[in-house]
């Protein structure tokens, strides 16, 4: 029992913190602790230094990650899991690739090309072990918009209310150049690759952090609505005029759909309804049951595609019911061709949004798996991998590729360990490209539209997140609403830009109005807490302590000064005006003391949460010190970081100001000093 009591006493003592040290201002602490500012070096010096440290081997590993992880690949433990995962993902690639290729207004086989050529390159250069690269609905839709805008096809085009053949479309001077959809798509892919390589060279991988969760969520939901509306035509077997419009396309599409909604293809409607019901029942009932039994999901999309093809063949749906099919699918691999370089400057602006979206989606998914499974992702290397892969894909009839959330989740869930699963998937797709492709020529397009509709369920359900965003932050809720409305009503790329501007504006608004509060003292401690939140604090007589959080710059310096005056409840300018009226000394003193409740002699500003201060911000601190000094109130600062204190010293060196800033290490040091100074007076 004595031993236990001794341990309890020691624990009680350990919980009490006692500090016995001299009072420190910042300059004294720097002197006693031998502070030395780090030497700044030129960019060239840093590059040469890093090159000396890095060996050739490590440089190759950083550019070619496969050379590192493949040497450590545990074949006995991983290979079977990767084979199963690769087969499963390949099965998903077939229906998704063919369906999403239609979003890009390209032949369905293009989606399978995208799951083969770029994926092989990403295997060599990518750093994520679990993302499934290939077609992604939103990226394909954005590419399809560019393809529609700059290509000419045999279909009729609505211009000023008149249907014209592409060869009849002219501008004011010359005939418009005619490009095929594939030429435009490969030019887009090449340009996106160039943009991503440029971002890699400029080390702009961090730019993806500008796209917040709220922005990405709202953007993907708005884009999913575009995808949904684009599939109603095939889902119902409607014939819509082709419009070449850059903005408000969804509004025009809605008008066109309602204008012909009275005459759908009922056979296509029946096929679509049956396909959707079967796939939804699988997702809601069969998939949860199978998950308990085994990791292998039922490839319901592939079953729907194969079944639809067989029924179309044996019942001759195109001839008997005028159901539109996929059409000719060539066997073999496409011949490598150079992109149409004349198109690069034309599509460059549109490609910026595509490059950003494809990279951000891929990196977001890669980071999710990396955090879950505890390995590192190099954001800049991902830019390099995607850039090289897109450039290579542009020579083989590919659209810009990206990671797919559904395929990536399946690849990891069924046991995929590395990108070896992608090689297995590519091998199976190669067999399909060489021999099996023509089998799917009779596949009804309404079946592929049904696959897309069911796959959109997860994206459309993101609308539920608005409630959470709004409760967490009204600004985040506004960013979501602005992004969605602009994407849906105007266009996808303009919506992304509007969302980004709104998101940055919210950050700017928060930085312009930082958090400032009054602190009170916790008796018998050296703790100082917000008096509006902690009722057990007391206000020290004659001293006002303020806490500042955020940055201090030219944009918010006026707001900071206004908040200081309001919280301290003493305006130096008003006090000076009262003095100027030559009121009797006794009357003036009584008025001054009455307005401040006690004899205010010191203002302390806690800058421990100040993360940045520019010269204008530090200049505002000098102005505050000077203003309050003129009415005999001292202003001290506490808790500055080393970098902020260096900025203060630099400002003092070049500023002709007799009122230097006095900075203490902690608030308690500043309070102790202020009480001693007031006692001495």
């Amino acid at each position: 029992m004595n031993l236990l009591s001794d341990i309890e006493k020691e624990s009680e003592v350990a919980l009490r913190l006692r500090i016995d040290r001299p009072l420190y201002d910042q300059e004294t602490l720097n002197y006693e602790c031998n502070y030395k500012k780090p030497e700044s070096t030129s960019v060239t010096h840093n590059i040469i230094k890093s090159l000396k440290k890095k060996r050739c081997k490590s440089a190759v590993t950083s550019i070619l990650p496969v050379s590192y992880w493949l040497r450590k690949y545990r074949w006995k433990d991983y290979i079977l899991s990767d084979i199963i995962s690769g087969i499963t993902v390949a099965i998903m690639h077939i229906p998704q690739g063919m369906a999403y290729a239609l979003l890009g207004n390209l032949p369905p086989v293009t989606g399978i090309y995208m799951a083969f050529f770029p994926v092989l390159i990403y295997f060599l250069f990518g750093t994520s072990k679990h993302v499934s690269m290939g077609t992604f609905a939103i990226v394909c839709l954005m590419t399809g918009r560019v393809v529609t805008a700059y290509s000419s096809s045999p279909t009729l085009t609505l211009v000023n209310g008149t249907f014209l053949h592409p060869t009849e479309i002219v501008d004011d001077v010359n005939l418009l150049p005619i490009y095929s959809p594939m030429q435009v798509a490969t030019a887009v892919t090449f340009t996106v690759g160039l943009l991503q390589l440029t971002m890699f060279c400029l080390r702009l991988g961090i730019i993806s952090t500008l796209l917040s969760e709220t922005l990405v969520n709202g953007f993907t939901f708005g884009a999913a609505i575009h995808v949904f509306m684009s599939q109603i035509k095939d889902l119902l077997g409607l014939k819509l005029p082709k419009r070449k419009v850059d903005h408000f396309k969804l509004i025009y599409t809605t008008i066109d759909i309602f204008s012909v909604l009275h005459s759908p293809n009922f056979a296509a409607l029946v096929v679509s309804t049956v396909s959707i019901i079967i796939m939804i029942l699988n997702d809601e009932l069969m998939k949860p049951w199978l998950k308990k039994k085994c990791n292998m999901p039922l490839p319901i999309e592939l079953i729907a595609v194969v079944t639809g093809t067989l029924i179309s063949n044996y019942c001759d749906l195109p001839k008997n019911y005028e159901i539109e099919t996929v059409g000719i699918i060539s066997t073999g691999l496409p011949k490598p061709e150079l992109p149409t370089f004349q198109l690069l400057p034309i599509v460059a602006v549109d490609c910026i949004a595509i490059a950003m979206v494809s990279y951000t989606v891929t990196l977001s998914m890669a980071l999710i798996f990396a955090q879950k499974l505890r390995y590192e992702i190099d954001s800049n290397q991902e830019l390099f991998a995607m850039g090289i892969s897109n450039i290579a894909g542009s020579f083989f009839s590919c659209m810009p590729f990206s990671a797919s959330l559904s395929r990536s989740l399946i690849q990891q869930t069924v046991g995929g360990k590395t990108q070896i699963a992608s090689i297995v998937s590519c091998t199976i797709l190669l067999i399909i490209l060489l021999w099996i492709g023509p089998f799917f020529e009779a596949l009804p397009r309404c079946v592929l539209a049904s696959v897309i509709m069911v796959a959109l369920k997860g994206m459309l359900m993101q609308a539920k997140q608005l409630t959470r965003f709004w409760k967490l932050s009204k600004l985040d809720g506004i960013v979501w609403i602005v992004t969605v409305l602009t994407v849906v009503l105007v266009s996808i790329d303009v919506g992304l830009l509007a969302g980004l501007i709104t998101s940055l504006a919210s950050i700017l608004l928060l930085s312009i109005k930082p958090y400032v509060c009054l602190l009170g003292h916790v008796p018998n401690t050296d703790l100082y807490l917000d008096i509006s939140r902690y009722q057990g604090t007391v206000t020290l007589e004659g001293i006002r302590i303020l806490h500042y959080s955020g940055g201090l710059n030219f944009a918010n310096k006026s707001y900071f000064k206004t908040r200081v005056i309001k919280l301290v409840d003493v305006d130096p300018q008003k006090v000076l005006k009262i003095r100027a009226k030559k009121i009797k000394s006794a009357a003036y003193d009584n008025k001054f003391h009455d307005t401040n409740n006690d004899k205010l002699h010191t203002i302390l500003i806690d800058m421990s949460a100040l993360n940045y201060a520019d010269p204008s911000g530090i200049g505002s601190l000098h102005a505050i010190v000077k203003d309050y000094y003129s009415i005999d109130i001292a202003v001290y600062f506490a808790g500055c970081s080393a970098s902020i204190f260096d900025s203060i010293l630099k400002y003092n060196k070049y500023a002709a100001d007799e009122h230097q800033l006095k900075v203490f290490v902690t608030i308690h040091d500043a309070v102790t000093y202020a009480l001693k100074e007031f006692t001495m007076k």
Side-chain angles (χ1 to χ4, degrees):
M1 292 293 295
N2 292 334
L3 180 60
L4 286 175
S5 61
D6 291 341
I7 293 175
E8 289 175 357
K9 289 180 180 179
E10 289 180 4
S11 301
E12 186 179 351
V13 172
L15 290 175
R16 292 181 175 274
L17 178 65
R18 182 176 180 180
I19 300 173
D20 186 12
R21 63 168 177 80
L23 184 152
Y24 279 125
D25 61 24
Q26 191 67 49
E27 290 185 353
T28 305
L29 180 70
N30 288 358
Y31 176 77
E32 292 195 2
C33 294
N34 196 21
Y35 173 76
K36 183 180 180 181
K37 184 179 178 181
E39 295 181 2
S40 59
T41 55
S42 64
V43 176
T44 306
H45 177 79
N46 289 332
I47 293 174
I48 294 172
K49 187 177 180 180
S50 63
L51 288 176
K52 287 180 179 179
K53 287 184 177 180
K54 285 187 177 181
R55 298 178 181 177
C56 181
K57 184 177 179 180
S58 61
V60 172
T61 301
S62 63
I63 296 295
L64 203 67
V66 68
S67 63
Y68 171 75
W69 65 261
L70 195 58
R71 287 185 283 111
K72 297 187 176 183
Y73 186 79
R74 293 155 57 182
W75 291 92
K76 292 182 180 180
D77 298 332
Y78 291 168
I79 189 62
L80 183 60
S81 298
D82 279 340
I83 289 175
I84 295 173
S85 176
I87 294 172
T88 307
V89 171
I91 291 171
M92 292 187 67
H93 266 301
I94 298 167
Q96 284 193 0
M98 297 174 71
Y100 292 162
L102 296 179
L103 294 177
N105 298 316
L106 295 174
V109 72
T110 303
I112 301 179
Y113 293 158
M114 293 171 61
F116 181 75
F117 294 103
V119 173
L120 287 177
I121 307 299
Y122 183 85
F123 167 79
L124 299 174
F125 297 101
T127 58
S128 176
K129 299 177 182 179
H130 296 92
V131 291
S132 175
M133 307 299 290
T135 53
F136 183 60
I138 294 173
V139 175
C140 291
L141 182 70
M142 295 176 72
T143 305
R145 191 187 68 82
V146 183
V147 169
T148 303
Y150 299 111
S151 68
S152 299
S153 61
T155 57
L156 297 180
T157 304
L158 185 65
V159 179
N160 295 327
T162 305
F163 288 100
L164 297 178
H165 191 272
T167 56
E168 299 175 318
I169 303 174
V170 295
D171 59 16
D172 295 334
V173 182
N174 300 313
L175 287 172
L176 290 173
I178 298 176
Y179 300 108
S180 69
M182 187 58 71
Q183 285 178 311
V184 178
T186 53
V188 169
T189 307
F190 187 84
T191 308
V192 168
L194 282 181
L195 289 171
Q196 289 171 339
L197 281 183
T198 303
M199 292 170 66
F200 164 74
C201 294
L202 298 175
R203 314 302 288 173
L204 294 179
I206 196 172
I207 202 171
S208 63
T209 57
L210 294 177
L211 303 182
S212 64
E213 178 192 359
T214 309
L215 171 58
V216 173
N217 185 285
F219 175 78
T220 51
F221 173 72
I225 294 178
H226 274 272
V227 177
F228 180 89
M229 294 298 294
S230 70
Q231 293 308 296
I232 291 180
K233 174 177 71 73
D234 288 330
L235 204 69
L236 304 179
L238 303 175
K239 296 187 182 298
L240 302 181
K242 185 178 179 182
R243 293 181 180 268
K244 289 198 172 184
V245 291
D246 290 333
H247 305 311
F248 310 105
K249 184 175 181 178
L250 202 61
I251 297 175
Y252 288 116
T253 302
T254 305
I255 294 172
D256 291 339
I257 288 173
F258 277 100
S259 66
V260 296
L261 194 59
H262 60 277
S263 57
N265 185 321
F266 289 100
L269 178 59
V270 170
V271 173
S272 301
T273 304
V274 172
S275 301
I276 290 175
I277 290 174
I278 291 174
M279 285 186 281
I280 289 178
L281 288 176
N282 172 76
D283 289 344
E284 299 298 327
L285 301 177
M286 186 64 69
K287 188 178 288 185
W289 181 80
L290 275 177
K291 191 174 183 181
K292 296 178 182 178
K293 302 295 181 180
C294 63
N295 280 333
M296 289 287 289
L298 182 68
I300 190 65
E301 294 89 354
L302 184 64
I303 293 173
V305 167
V306 173
T307 305
T309 305
L310 292 173
I311 293 174
S312 179
N313 265 321
Y314 287 105
C315 298
D316 202 0
L317 295 182
K319 183 178 179 180
N320 295 329
Y321 300 99
E322 297 182 353
I323 289 181
E324 191 174 357
T325 60
V326 164
I328 297 173
I329 298 178
S330 57
T331 56
L333 300 177
K335 294 180 180 179
E337 293 183 6
L338 287 174
T340 307
F341 293 113
Q342 300 94 307
L343 277 166
L344 300 190
I346 299 175
V347 302
V349 175
D350 299 279
C351 291
I352 295 174
I354 298 174
M356 285 291 298
V357 171
S358 62
Y359 169 66
T360 304
V361 168
T362 301
L363 187 65
S364 299
M365 294 182 192
L367 288 173
I368 289 172
F369 291 116
Q371 292 171 3
K372 179 180 178 181
L373 301 171
R374 297 182 181 179
Y375 63 90
E376 295 295 326
I377 292 295
D378 187 338
S379 59
N380 284 302
Q381 179 63 23
E382 286 296 301
L383 273 174
F384 180 78
M386 294 190 68
I388 290 291
S389 300
N390 276 317
I391 288 176
S394 69
F395 295 101
F396 295 96
S397 304
C398 292
M399 287 187 290
F401 81 137
S402 181
S404 165
L405 178 59
S406 59
R407 292 196 309 270
S408 299
L409 286 173
I410 291 296
Q411 180 168 315
Q412 191 270 327
T413 302
V414 299
K417 303 297 183 182
T418 65
Q419 285 293 334
I420 292 288
S422 298
I423 297 299
V424 175
S425 175
C426 288
T427 304
I428 296 172
L429 293 174
L430 178 62
I431 296 172
I432 293 170
L433 288 171
L434 293 177
W435 294 290
I436 306 177
F439 168 77
F440 296 104
E441 290 180 355
L443 173 64
R445 291 170 68 103
C446 57
V447 174
L448 291 179
S450 303
V451 172
I452 293 174
M453 288 293 195
V454 176
L456 286 176
K457 178 186 174 184
M459 291 190 201
L460 293 174
M461 294 298 287
Q462 290 179 349
K464 293 182 178 180
Q465 296 294 322
L466 174 59
T467 305
R468 181 172 70 89
F469 291 137
W470 189 266
K471 289 180 179 179
L472 292 175
S473 169
K474 297 295 186 293
L475 287 176
D476 273 2
I478 292 172
V479 170
W480 194 94
I481 293 171
V482 169
T483 304
V484 170
L485 290 179
T486 314
V487 168
V488 171
L489 298 178
V490 185
S491 67
I492 292 178
D493 49 356
V494 174
L496 177 63
L497 181 62
L500 182 60
I501 292 174
T502 309
S503 184
L504 294 176
S506 66
I507 296 173
L508 180 62
L509 182 63
L510 292 174
S511 66
I512 290 177
K513 291 189 173 183
Y515 179 66
V516 187
C517 66
L518 276 174
L519 300 183
H521 182 228
V522 179
N524 303 318
T525 71
D526 61 343
L527 299 178
Y528 297 84
L529 305 176
D530 187 346
I531 61 174
S532 64
R533 298 173 184 268
Y534 294 90
Q535 305 303 316
T537 58
V538 297
T539 302
L540 298 176
E541 184 179 356
I543 300 176
R544 293 286 185 273
I545 307 172
L546 284 77
H547 174 77
Y548 180 85
S549 178
L552 185 58
N553 49 55
F554 66 93
N556 60 16
K557 64 177 185 180
S558 298
Y559 175 81
F560 169 69
K561 187 174 181 180
T562 302
R563 289 291 295 163
V564 169
I565 292 173
K566 183 176 180 180
L567 291 174
V568 171
D569 197 22
V570 175
D571 187 345
Q573 301 300 324
K574 290 182 179 179
V575 174
L576 291 174
K577 285 181 181 179
I578 293 173
R579 287 180 177 178
K581 291 180 180 180
K582 298 182 180 179
I583 300 177
K584 293 181 180 180
S585 177
Y588 167 74
D589 287 341
N590 290 334
K591 182 176 182 61
F592 180 76
H593 297 327
D594 289 340
T595 57
N596 293 282
N597 301 324
D598 56 14
K599 298 177 180 179
L600 182 65
H601 57 80
T602 305
I603 298 173
L604 305 179
I605 302 179
D606 173 28
M607 312 296 275
S608 58
L610 176 65
N611 51 40
Y612 171 75
D614 68 1
S616 298
I618 296 176
S620 68
L621 298 180
H622 278 262
I624 290 172
V625 172
K626 184 177 180 180
D627 288 347
Y628 281 101
Y629 179 81
S630 64
I631 58 172
D632 303 320
I633 297 177
V635 179
Y636 302 135
F637 302 90
C640 290
S641 64
S643 60
I644 298 296
F645 188 68
D646 287 338
S647 300
I648 291 174
L649 292 179
K650 188 181 295 184
Y651 187 94
N652 290 343
K653 182 178 179 181
Y654 295 103
D657 193 340
E658 60 181 1
H659 303 288
Q660 301 296 310
L661 306 184
K662 193 164 186 63
V663 182
F664 292 89
V665 176
T666 67
I667 302 176
H668 203 64
D669 287 311
V671 169
T672 304
Y673 179 84
L675 292 174
K676 287 182 178 179
E677 285 289 301
F678 181 72
T679 303
M680 291 175 63
K681 290 180 180 179

